[in-house]
Amino acid sequence: MSESNNMHVSGDGAKQSVYTEKKRVKVYVLENNEWKDTGTGFCQGTVEERTIDDTQTAEKMAYLLVVDEDSDDQVLLKSRLEQNIEYQRQEETLIVWKDLNGQDIALSFEESIGCDSLCEYICFVQKNIESRISLVAVRSTDDGIGSVHEIITGPVNLPSNVPNQTEESLLEALKILNENTSFDYLRNETIQFVINDHYLATLIRSFYQSEESKLYRNLLLLSNIVKTLILFNSKEILEEMINDENFLCVCGILEYDTEFPNSKLNHRQYLKDKEPNFKEMIPISDPTIKLMITQNFRLQFLKDVVLVRFLDDQSFTFISDLMLSYQNSIIDFLQEDSNNFINQVISMYKVEEDSTVTPDKRRDGIKLLHECIQLSQNLNSIEKTLFYKFLIKKGLFQVIQFAFNMETNNDIRILATDIVVGLIEHDIQLIQSVQSDEVTLLNDENSDIDSTDMSLLLILTKILLTDKSPGLKEQSFQALVSLLDPEDYIVDDYQNHDDNIDTRIDNMLQIQNGKNHDGLDGERNHEKFQLAEYLQCFYRQVAPSLFHCFIDGSVNLYECDQQLLIKLVKLLNLMIQGHEASISRRFILENGILIRLISLASSDYILQLRLAAVRCFKNIVFLNDDFYLRYLIGKNLFDPIFEVFKENLNEDNMANSTILDFLKSLNTQLKVVEQEDIPLSGSKSSRNFMLLNKYICGRYGDILLKADYVSFTREMMAIYHEETQKLASLSTTETSFDENDNTTLEVEV
Amino acid sequence: MMKLDEIIETLRQGKHVDEDSIYSLCVMAQELLMNESNVTHVDTPVTICGDIHGQLHDLLTLFAKSGGIEKNRYIFLGDFVDRGFYSLESFLLLVCYKLRYPDRIVLIRGNHETRQITKVYGFYDEVVRKYGNSNVWRYCCEVFDYLPLGAIVNNKVFCVHGGLSPDVLSINEIRTIDRKKEVPHEGAMCDLLWSDPEDVDTWSLSPRGAGFLFGQNEVDKFLHTNSVELIARAHQLVMEGYKEMFDGGLVTVWSAPNYCYRCGNVAAVLRIDDDMTKDYTIFEAVQARDSGGNVILPTKKPQMDYFL
């Protein structure tokens, strides 16, 4: 059986074992640059074992053996796997290599599964018999031009793991580790080495020696080695770095940085002195969870402080994902009733005063709950909802109530509001459920707190109107914006996490002008109904106090906090734009709010407020609502706006731009009307804008003409004149209404 | 409430300024900014600066290398925040300078000066880490809405963060934008902050998903229509600090050296003199030191005690 020229050892006394099944294959050899077919046969991987006489040791020799398909004793190929031969798997069915004699050989398998099995065999041989051979997969790239090489198996160069590391050995280690990041195979082998051979311990030992002997170059090398290991993105390595034994040392190594060769950070000092500690308010019995809490902190510290300038996007994501897995486990733990964790926190705020709970402990509790919300930020939406519902069910709202009513420390109150904002921004329906739960609860306990489902809105209103802290005002305002934005209720697939009120209003305008909500399905209708009920409650119970200064004529607006007025104007804007006209318009018009609102555009007020009022009016106009428009025109409410314009007519400033923007938008609408070519009797939309143009040009034409630095003011006037002429010629046509007649201001509800 | 000069010194050292002081600063900044045009007129000599991205110590170097705010006029082309670890201090320092020397500094809005972008790219997280809540971020975002959209130097150099817009043929048209809003996803205001120059024949889609790509044709047309000589913009990392394109009709200025603390680029500022000559100053990232001469390595503020 040993006819191959390559055989160095005779078959005598050799024991042959077969490692693969027979796979059908064609054998080629390269001769004169051409592949020559030398026959078809069955390929197997075999190993021959032979005792070497002088040493009595066993030697194993591995072969790729191909036997002719027609005759069992006809060997087509017997090629030893030895030394540093590199086998290439090309595409699915080809194995190609050059043997030690320089002969190029190719095996072309009938099926890829055959090729798979022989490749596995090569890997087996590399691992167990001939460690220096290698197998590389070669695939052409998608564009067909280039090729990708990937090591499947082969010798792996690993750093020296001797106890006494030198500058040379560390430099070599860094070089090797960098090389090994490039292929998955080398990477995985290196990771196994680091873990199994306790390489980190070697590095740490060397670190202590180097620091003691002030071997500065070694320290920089060690730092770079640790950083390179982090880029391996291995959970095992990372977890070894952050365990109790190693974390401080790893941070120590990373204090040295080649980028800043003349200085050293002081992470160890920070960790020891400032002690950002795990404050275990409620004892946790589960050691795995305790470990995860610590590890989560340590990873955060690595990511945000120690490695902050170093991590690439991939490693950043890797660490973030690992943290997320800890966070998920921690949140899961908190929700297990058997742990009683959240119960214990929330019981500190129960109505019956527990004298053993100190104010500081209660403050810590609020910090802890705030941290729960922060910790859950990266969870997926469903997990978050479940967790928040859990907190609410356990009585989170009682804690909030406590913070609002009893707590005096502003920082803590701000954290409490932040919790509310966090819940609302995630899912507004949550608060609804809080409120209804809370109502029952409070009623049961005969509490004297106002027992309506508007209690949260009322609290927020009170903070917004009366609290001195700008931070709390800001947050309660944000919370009210979220609570009053119907988008958050109805359009559940529309993720409006943009908490800028102006953007929200822009979105609404787009929805109103473009989308039609006719096709609401049953569920939507139900939601819509609930929303209407909720909003009606708001307009009955909350709005009158929230907008008291706009309703009560005896309040001197000039004496109000103007920053607060800006926020109120923004809220009104949101309500007018976002709530069904049938609900909001009555409140707005019956209380004469617009009259007071536009008075804020007068020169008594700061410009931010004046322009906020102008923008609110602009948005009302483009609602294209007959009632509002007649009201505004009938009461000549545009006067203050054109006062602002007159004042800034020749100024190139924000006031000027804001009004130009308004006029430009109106002119654009007029052009749409013209294109539709529907004269006076046309659609509601065209009629309203033509009407407004007529009013504006008639009343403020002289101001418009002075704004000759833009073209649309002239265009508006031209349309006005054209329409007046048309009107004159069609004297029988009734004009839609008399602008000075405001007796028809019945408001539909 | 701290005094302005006191705040400036605190910020220069990268130290904590209290929430209420920041609130007052932001309200004052709004009042000042709203008197500026959407495209503010600036006289020479002036130094034009590109992206800063929260690299406070490099911003201090910028001022040191270019003569300082006490004696020079500056235009900043936006992107004060995100990426770096001192977005808050960098932005507030510029705002304080604006309040202290209103005629000597113009701050133009960049595409990062928005709520949506800062929530993703670092500024929001930085504020939450430094203050435990997001209020300060909200105050700053409110100021962003008041920042002008561009500037023009001696009627000859048009300064903008991103680039041109198909909706803006003449600079005068920018005047009719009510800029006090979150940057929209499309339209003139968006394009000015998002567009990039590129070797294209006509307006093309931008891979950024907002704004456009524009080429020599658009630039030539814009320069001619508005009789300006140069468009100075930022928005794109340039390894050499600045890059002139289109026969000198446009320049990109980048002022964040070693961007993200690892890109290895140098930074530049562009000085335009009374005779309209251009002069670039190149500078590198240098090691920051505190008042005691100790080295400061840029880093995020570590979190304190934790309960979970």
Side-chain angles (χ1 to χ4, degrees), chain A residues 69 168 199 235 240 322 423 445 465 512 541 553 742:
Chain A
E69 64 177 338
E168 289 70 34
Y199 184 55
K235 180 172 185 255
E240 185 147 327
L322 187 53
L423 296 185
E445 294 177 1
L465 295 182
Q512 274 165 0
Q541 298 172 34
N742 55 11

Side-chain angles (χ1 to χ4, degrees), chain A residues 146-276:
Chain A
S147 58
V148 188
H149 290 238
E150 189 201 333
I151 300 177
I152 309 292
T153 193
V156 184
N157 210 356
L158 291 170
S160 145
N161 202 16
V162 297
N164 289 317
Q165 296 280 326
T166 61
E167 189 181 324
E168 289 70 34
S169 67
L170 291 172
L171 189 63
E172 181 65 18
L174 181 60
K175 209 182 104 216
I176 291 169
L177 290 172
N178 268 314
E179 285 166 3
N180 289 1
T181 47
S182 39
F183 292 104
D184 277 354
Y185 170 72
L186 299 178
R187 203 183 136 259
N188 292 334
E189 292 294 307
T190 312
I191 292 169
Q192 287 318 307
F193 156 77
V194 170
I195 301 299
N196 297 337
D197 295 12
H198 308 289
Y199 184 55
L200 212 53
T202 308
L203 294 177
I204 288 171
R205 201 176 313 118
S206 169
F207 170 65
Y208 283 131
Q209 290 163 1
S210 305
E211 209 171 39
E212 205 176 330
S213 324
K214 300 203 164 47
L215 299 172
Y216 189 62
R217 294 177 56 83
N218 287 13
L219 292 168
L220 288 180
L221 282 168
L222 283 164
S223 168
N224 282 330
I225 288 173
V226 169
K227 283 178 181 169
T228 309
L229 287 177
I230 286 166
L231 293 187
F232 273 73
N233 292 341
S234 148
K235 180 172 185 255
E236 291 138 296
I237 294 184
L238 215 49
E239 285 188 337
E240 185 147 327
M241 284 180 178
I242 57 173
N243 68 21
D244 286 346
E245 194 183 343
N246 296 337
F247 180 64
L248 209 58
C249 309
V250 167
C251 288
I253 295 175
L254 292 170
E255 286 174 3
Y256 297 88
D257 190 339
T258 10
E259 251 189 89
F260 302 95
N262 301 318
S263 46
K264 183 178 84 65
L265 287 153
N266 51 356
H267 303 315
R268 279 173 292 178
Q269 201 67 37
Y270 175 82
L271 288 170
K272 279 183 202 151
D273 292 357
K274 308 225 171 143
E275 287 183 274

Side-chain angles (χ1 to χ4, degrees), chain A residues 259-260 263 265 270 274-279 281 293-294 297 300-301 304-305 308-313 330 334 341 364 367-368 370-372 374-375 414-415 418 421 425 470-472 474-475 478 497-500 502-503 563 570 607-608 611 615 649-654 656-658 660-661 664 709-710 712, chain B residues 19-20 23 26-31 33-39 41 83 85 115-116 119 124 128-129 131-135 137-139 142 145-147 172-186 258 260-262 286-289 295-308:
Chain A
E259 251 189 89
F260 302 95
S263 46
L265 287 153
Y270 175 82
K274 308 225 171 143
E275 287 183 274
N277 263 325
F278 174 28
K279 272 197 167 179
M281 274 193 68
I293 292 171
T294 314
F297 165 77
Q300 179 104 44
F301 189 75
D304 286 351
V305 180
V308 70
R309 291 180 311 279
F310 171 74
L311 292 179
D312 58 17
D313 286 353
I330 298 168
L334 295 177
F341 187 90
D364 277 352
K367 286 185 194 165
L368 184 147
H370 186 254
E371 222 174 86
C372 287
Q374 301 258 299
L375 203 64
I414 284 179
L415 286 183
D418 219 36
V421 173
E425 282 185 353
L472 272 174
E474 181 68 36
Q475 282 177 317
Q478 287 302 332
H497 285 310
D498 204 326
D499 49 5
N500 176 22
D502 301 321
T503 320
Q563 293 298 332
K570 285 182 175 180
L607 202 50
Q608 288 105 304
L611 295 188
R615 288 186 190 103
L649 195 56
N650 292 309
E651 304 290 330
D652 185 357
N653 59 18
M654 189 177 263
N656 179 276
S657 292
T658 303
L660 289 180
D661 192 307
K664 184 180 62 183
Y709 40 80
V710 286
F712 47 78
Chain B
E19 213 176 298
D20 288 356
Y23 175 76
C26 288
V27 171
M28 285 192 293
Q30 290 175 22
E31 280 163 26
L33 289 169
M34 67 192 309
N35 289 314
E36 292 192 355
S37 332
N38 287 348
V39 178
H41 286 256
R83 307 279 190 191
F85 311 141
R115 293 162 183 83
Q116 221 184 350
K119 256 204 154 160
Y124 175 85
V128 171
R129 206 170 43 245
Y131 289 85
N133 69 72
S134 58
N135 288 335
W137 170 77
R138 290 209 160 89
Y139 305 151
E142 204 58 27
D145 286 345
Y146 285 90
L147 293 171
N172 192 43
E173 289 168 40
I174 300 174
R175 179 175 179 172
T176 65
I177 298 171
D178 180 8
R179 70 174 188 262
K180 203 234 154 269
K181 55 184 166 198
E182 177 85 340
V183 179
H185 296 293
E186 54 186 16
N258 195 24
C260 294
Y261 308 103
R262 64 163 171 271
V286 292
Q287 204 157 80
R289 286 175 195 280
V295 169
I296 302 168
L297 299 188
T299 186
K300 294 185 188 173
K301 191 178 180 277
Q303 170 197 353
M304 294 309 292
D305 287 348
Y306 54 106
F307 297 88
L308 283 175

Side-chain angles (χ1 to χ4, degrees), chain A residues 389-561:
Chain A
K389 281 197 170 150
F390 169 82
L391 289 179
I392 287 162
K393 212 176 95 207
K394 291 289 166 193
L396 179 68
F397 201 59
Q398 283 179 315
V399 183
I400 310 280
Q401 290 262 18
F402 177 88
F404 288 152
N405 295 325
M406 316 290 286
E407 182 56 60
T408 49
N409 181 323
N410 254 346
D411 291 341
I412 299 298
R413 284 162 60 90
I414 284 179
L415 286 183
T417 329
D418 219 36
I419 294 175
V420 175
V421 173
L423 296 185
I424 292 171
E425 282 185 353
H426 172 60
D427 181 0
I428 205 133
Q429 307 276 10
L430 288 171
I431 295 299
Q432 287 276 284
S433 63
V434 180
Q435 290 178 340
S436 20
D437 283 2
E438 204 56 31
V439 173
T440 11
L441 197 74
L442 290 174
N443 283 343
D444 289 352
E445 294 177 1
N446 292 323
S447 165
D448 55 356
I449 298 170
D450 187 21
S451 63
T452 68
D453 61 349
M454 288 287 124
S455 51
L456 180 64
L457 281 156
L458 285 167
I459 289 173
L460 293 167
T461 297
K462 191 175 148 211
I463 296 174
L464 177 64
L465 295 182
T466 61
D467 207 281
K468 294 278 181 290
S469 151
L472 272 174
K473 271 186 181 333
E474 181 68 36
Q475 282 177 317
S476 51
F477 169 66
Q478 287 302 332
L480 282 169
V481 168
S482 297
L483 285 169
L484 293 176
D485 186 346
E487 286 309 323
D488 287 348
Y489 291 87
I490 291 183
V491 193
D492 45 2
D493 53 352
Y494 177 73
Q495 289 290 313
N496 188 359
H497 285 310
D498 204 326
D499 49 5
N500 176 22
I501 184 166
D502 301 321
T503 320
R504 283 165 183 267
I505 286 168
D506 279 352
N507 288 336
M508 279 176 216
L509 284 172
Q510 275 164 20
I511 288 166
Q512 274 165 0
N513 292 336
K515 263 198 256 168
N516 202 332
H517 282 297
D518 282 350
L520 290 172
D521 54 28
E523 198 175 331
R524 288 274 168 87
N525 271 327
H526 177 65
E527 281 176 7
K528 224 177 154 181
F529 176 72
Q530 277 196 325
L531 173 66
E533 215 175 56
Y534 163 76
L535 288 179
Q536 262 153 12
C537 270
F538 164 76
Y539 279 99
R540 238 184 354 255
Q541 298 172 34
V542 184
S545 47
L546 183 55
F547 299 105
H548 174 252
C549 62
F550 285 94
I551 297 167
D552 183 347
S554 68
V555 175
N556 186 353
L557 282 171
Y558 189 65
E559 285 167 3
C560 296
D561 169 9

